[in-house]
Amino acid sequence: MKKTLMMAAIATVSATTVMAEEEPVLNVYNWSDYIAEDTLAKFEEATGIKVNYDVYDSNEVLEAKMLTGNSGYDVVVPTSDFLQRQIAAGAYQPLDKSLLPNLANMDPDLMAGAAVYDPGNTYATIYMWGTTGIGYNVGDVAERLGEDYTVDSWSIIFDPEIVSKLSDCGVTMLDAPTEMIPAAMNYLGLDPRSTKPEDIEAGAALLEKVRPYIKYFHSSQYINDLANGDVCVSVGWSGDVFQAQARAEEADNGVEIGYVIPKEGALQWFDMMAIPADAPHPENAHKFINFIMDAQITADITNYVWYANANKASMPLVDVEITEDPGIFPTPEAKKRLWASVVYDARTDRLMTRAWTRIKTGQ
Ligand code: SPD
């Protein structure tokens, strides 16, 4: 055998050996409140692979780990705009699509939307998607703004006259600068996708104006707080607000929670499953991603976490109260008012982060 051929043969054998030797362990890092109760147990039972599962509630936290490397995670779930930046930094390995037959279940239109951030869907597939809108306590808002008041506008957050009347029952915002500042820009009639420093500063100035009426900035605490009646208005992620609604119903505590995609529009985002470049168990990672894309498994997750999925084959298995809820699957009319997240360059990112610190600390 020629030397090069022999080397290639050895490489193939050792690669096969490495694959065969992968320990039955998988380290997953996902958003909090984002999986069905039995998903991991079902995966473990089906594959014999033990899952270590950690959670986060911020893209910035995940990004810091991905850009540092050596996270030890095998599957992570960045939002599409952050994913694009992390792909450019070499943080992920391309998916081996031959190991993902369930990709056939995915909705081609939604995957094309995600491909804007990851051409060819090379590095990631959609986990769930949603919108960033307003969760509110129906009774508390009616008490303060009147029975006839309709919650349908960002003015409930961004108009000082209105939000000041709600601050006693608790108004909260996501701790997510790249979502809150564009929402404020949009309310001002500016392009929420603009990266012009003056537009970003205008959005930040509006946030500073309403800052005195905001109880806290946090991206997961509001679920329980809304459900328990401890806060009354939260800028939140669609499914999380619906989970608050479900928890309140379950507790039978008299709290009624609504979710609205404001008439001025809202952010639509995709959360993507990806495998870090240095994942210790890439073969198990592929098994997990393929398992999640099973129609029944995805439907079970959507039915539990109230987030829209991009798995066309799962739709008949998703509860009708979910598929027909316009807060979860927006109507074609509402879809026209959604904007897609922007991938910010380092300069704009710094500008946003600095403005955000100023807004949060009130300095
Ligand atoms: N509890 C799950 C929250 C998922 C939120 N995804 C982040 C979207 C960022 N735009």
Side-chain angles (χ1 to χ4, degrees), residues 31-34 59 79 132 179 237 240 267 269 271 307:
W31 294 85
S32 48
D33 303 292
Y34 218 23
N59 267 308
T79 306
T132 302
E179 301 199 38
W237 292 313
D240 287 4
L267 173 71
W269 42 263
D271 285 337
Y307 276 100

Side-chain angles (χ1 to χ4, degrees), residues 237-296:
W237 292 313
S238 43
D240 287 4
V241 175
F242 283 96
Q243 286 179 53
Q245 187 182 76
R247 286 180 203 180
E249 269 168 28
E250 211 173 308
D252 198 15
N253 59 3
V255 170
E256 189 188 339
I257 301 297
Y259 176 77
V260 70
I261 298 174
K263 62 182 179 202
E264 298 89 354
L267 173 71
Q268 177 187 18
W269 42 263
F270 298 105
D271 285 337
M272 311 295 301
M273 290 186 283
I275 305 177
D278 56 5
H281 312 102
E283 195 190 346
N284 296 346
H286 282 88
K287 284 186 185 151
F288 183 76
I289 291 173
N290 195 53
F291 180 81
I292 295 291
M293 287 191 297
D294 173 84
Q296 185 64 60

Side-chain angles (χ1 to χ4, degrees), residues 34 59 90 104 119 146 175 186 240 242 255 280 309 332 335 342 344 346 350 352:
Y34 218 23
N59 267 308
D175 189 2
N186 177 64
D240 287 4
F242 283 96
V255 170
N309 69 61
K335 273 190 179 162
V342 182
Y344 294 106
R350 266 197 308 278
M352 288 222 170

